[in-house]
Amino acid sequence: MVNESPDTPPGRTLRPTRRGRLMLFIGVVLVLVVAAAVLVPLLTRGPKVERARSLVIPEGWRASQVYEAVDKALDVDPGTTEKAATTADLPLPAAAKGNPEGYLFPATYPVTSDTTPQSLLRYMVDTAVERFGADHIAAGAQRNGVSVYQTVTIASIVQAEADTTADMGKVARVVHNRLDRGMPLQMDSTLNYALNRSTLHTTTGDTKIDSPYNSYERKGLPPTPIGNPGEQAMTAAINPTPGAWLYFVTVAPGDTRFTSSYTEQQRNVAEFNRNRRSASGG
C-alpha cells in the first residue's frame, strides 16, 4: 500500500500546474533533440559506397596496349598486368594456347580500389567468350570453313585494315577470297603487329622479315589475332560482303578501292603513293 499525502484529499489525484506542464514539455523536447543529435551521426557513419571509375578499351587495341592501360588505371607498376595475364587462369579457348590476344573484349569496364589486373582481365575474357561463343558466330565460322578462333583472327585483321565500318564486309571478303585461293594475305597490319608499330608505310625490307606474322611471305592466317576486334568486325568476318575482290587500298581517307584486277590495284596503289607524297610535301 502506497501512503497518500496528508494534504491530498482522499480519492483525488495530483495534477501538474500550467508551469509544470510547460516544464515537462520543454524537458521532452530536449530529450528528443539530444536523441536525434546522437542518432544522426550513427546513421551516417557507415561505410561510403565507392564510385566506380571507367576504363575504356577501344576496338582494335592490341593486348600490349590493354595491359598498359590497365596498369595506369589501377596505378600498378608497368608490366604488372602483362605478368598477371599468365597467371590469371583466363577461360580462353584451347586454340589460344594461353594467349589472350583477340579476347580482351573492347568495352567500358568499371574500376574500383578492389579491382585487380587478374579480375579485370578475366572480366574482359569472360565478355569475349560470351559474345564470340554465340550460336550465330559458330554457325558463321562453320559456313566459311574456319574455326571460331580463326574467325576472331580474321576479325582482328578486318578491324585493323578497314578504313570505315562500311568497308569491313569487303575487307573480310578479300581475306576469305585469298584464303580460298591459297594466296598470301599480304596485309600490312600483320607486319605492323610483328614489328609492334602502326604505320601506313611498308617497305620492301619489311615484307622480308622472318616472322609468322609476315603475311607477305607466309600463306594462311597468322598464328593469333593481331588485336582485339569489336562486334562489327566479328559480324563482317562471319558475313563478308559478296564479291570477287582480291585487292584493296585506301587511296585517301574514306576512299578505299576494291578490285579483283592486279593491274587496277597497281594503278590504285600509285594514286595512294602520290597522295602520300603530296601530304608529306615530297
Side-chain angles (χ1 to χ4, degrees):
M1 179 176 179
V2 178
N3 293 324
E4 295 180 344
S5 169
D7 296 329
T8 302
R12 297 186 60 185
T13 58
L14 290 173
R15 298 179 181 276
T17 63
R18 180 179 299 177
R19 181 178 180 184
R21 288 196 300 271
L22 178 60
M23 295 301 294
L24 179 62
F25 175 75
I26 293 174
V28 171
V29 171
L30 287 174
V31 169
L32 293 175
V33 169
V34 172
V38 172
L39 183 60
V40 169
L42 290 176
L43 292 175
T44 59
R45 195 179 298 165
K48 295 183 179 179
V49 177
E50 180 182 357
R51 184 175 181 179
R53 294 168 284 120
S54 294
L55 172 61
V56 178
I57 303 300
E59 296 174 343
W61 264 17
R62 299 169 186 163
S64 58
Q65 294 172 291
V66 176
Y67 297 152
E68 183 178 355
V70 173
D71 284 345
K72 291 180 179 179
L74 301 185
D75 193 24
V76 296
D77 292 337
T80 299
T81 303
E82 183 174 6
K83 292 178 182 177
T86 64
T87 60
D89 192 25
L90 303 175
L92 294 163
K97 298 179 181 179
N99 184 350
E101 190 73 87
Y103 281 79
L104 301 175
F105 193 79
T108 300
Y109 295 93
V111 174
T112 69
S113 58
D114 293 329
T115 304
T116 65
Q118 289 89 342
S119 67
L120 194 50
L121 291 175
R122 197 173 298 116
Y123 192 174
M124 294 178 186
V125 174
D126 282 340
T127 304
V129 169
E130 179 183 353
R131 302 292 180 87
F132 299 162
D135 290 343
H136 72 284
I137 298 291
Q142 185 177 22
R143 186 172 59 249
N144 293 321
V146 293
S147 68
V148 171
Y149 187 71
Q150 288 173 318
T151 300
V152 176
T153 300
I154 293 171
S156 71
I157 294 173
V158 169
Q159 188 79 65
E161 291 281 350
D163 184 52
T164 65
T165 301
D167 289 337
M168 285 184 172
K170 291 183 176 181
V171 172
R173 175 54 65 190
V174 171
V175 173
H176 281 292
N177 285 348
R178 283 181 164 263
L179 291 175
D180 291 344
R181 293 194 179 199
M183 300 173 64
L185 295 182
Q186 297 183 323
M187 299 288 177
D188 292 350
S189 58
T190 64
L191 284 178
N192 285 337
Y193 185 79
L195 296 169
N196 193 28
R197 68 181 190 186
S198 296
T199 181
L200 294 175
H201 310 309
T202 299
T203 67
T204 301
D206 293 337
T207 66
K208 303 299 181 183
I209 65 170
D210 182 16
S211 169
Y213 294 91
N214 183 355
S215 61
Y216 280 83
E217 293 282 329
R218 304 193 181 205
K219 295 180 181 179
L221 292 169
T224 71
I226 60 169
N228 294 280
E231 291 199 58
Q232 290 174 315
M234 279 295 288
T235 298
I238 62 172
N239 295 305
T241 306
W245 310 292
L246 294 171
Y247 311 94
F248 68 89
V249 62
T250 300
V251 298
D255 182 9
T256 300
R257 312 274 178 84
F258 294 84
T259 181
S260 59
S261 166
Y262 180 65
T263 300
E264 185 176 354
Q265 172 71 356
Q266 287 181 308
R267 289 197 296 267
N268 292 335
V269 170
E271 183 174 346
F272 161 75
N273 287 329
R274 287 196 299 272
N275 290 340
R276 185 180 63 178
R277 287 193 296 268
S278 176
S280 63

